[in-house]
Amino acid sequence: MKGYFLILDILGFSQMIENLSEDDLRLKIDKWIGIVRDICKSHDIENYQLISDTLFIGVGESDSDLIQVVNASRDLLNTCVKESIPLRGTISFGEYTWSNELVYGKAVISAHELEMKQNWVGISCVEGIKIPEGCTNLISYALPLKKGDNRIGASVI
């Protein structure tokens, strides 16, 4: 399949596991699962998968699909921050394969690589993704990267 692919990670998840009591950790994880489920449902996103603290979302390749994943990711970011669940992520575009057993492809790798390079709570897009007309939740922004030159790219607001 060719389309837009989102990877989101919870920042500080290892510290949460180490520092929270079992009850508090269970509450935090249940909150994370519920937020993801509810926001994906409200944005009609069918292809989503949680693996530990990482969320994968895959949609089609149209401008409306990009707007759908941008709007969902914005809601995820804003809702999770209010629950002390900081997120960092990337939206990519390209080929990916989606199944119940395995999600993989070039779009997955490019999203993961940029997500890991970022130094912020936020969601960016890989180079080449243009802000479509009518997409009010993406802006051009200087991405804060851990190493190397920061670059201007589309980011979720």
Side-chain angles (χ1 to χ4, degrees):
M1 170 177 206
K2 190 172 192 175
Y4 293 97
F5 192 86
L6 169 70
I7 289 182
L8 277 179
D9 272 338
I10 296 175
L11 296 175
F13 191 68
S14 297
Q15 289 81 12
M16 285 181 200
I17 291 173
E18 290 176 7
N19 296 321
L20 292 176
S21 69
E22 278 299 313
D23 289 340
D24 289 342
L25 182 60
R26 183 79 248 157
L27 289 172
K28 185 74 75 174
I29 290 170
D30 288 345
K31 180 63 76 174
W32 167 237
I33 292 168
I35 290 168
V36 168
R37 181 190 58 241
D38 293 347
I39 289 175
C40 286
K41 182 178 180 181
S42 72
H43 288 277
D44 296 321
I45 292 176
E46 295 177 13
N47 287 342
Y48 74 92
Q49 191 171 87
L50 282 167
I51 300 173
S52 185
D53 68 321
T54 303
L55 170 63
F56 296 154
I57 290 178
V59 297
E61 60 184 302
S62 71
D63 284 354
S64 63
D65 292 320
L66 175 57
I67 291 169
Q68 176 188 33
V69 77
V70 165
N71 292 344
S73 66
R74 179 179 188 268
D75 287 352
L76 285 161
L77 184 63
N78 290 333
T79 303
C80 285
V81 164
K82 291 174 188 171
E83 296 294 335
S84 298
I85 304 173
L87 301 175
R88 179 180 65 207
T90 297
I91 298 169
S92 67
F93 179 80
E95 295 288 334
Y96 67 91
T97 298
W98 190 279
S99 75
N100 291 333
E101 291 81 27
L102 184 63
V103 176
Y104 66 94
K106 291 180 181 179
V108 178
I109 299 302
S110 65
H112 172 70
E113 287 175 347
L114 181 56
E115 184 271 326
M116 293 300 294
K117 290 178 184 178
Q118 297 173 89
N119 191 23
W120 71 334
V121 172
I123 302 166
S124 68
C125 297
V126 297
E127 285 186 78
I129 292 182
K130 305 291 186 235
I131 301 172
E133 192 163 323
C135 186
T136 58
N137 292 322
L138 276 181
I139 61 166
S140 290
Y141 187 76
L143 301 179
L145 303 176
K146 293 175 185 173
K147 293 183 181 179
D149 295 328
N150 290 351
R151 66 170 178 83
I152 300 292
S155 298
V156 175
I157 57 167

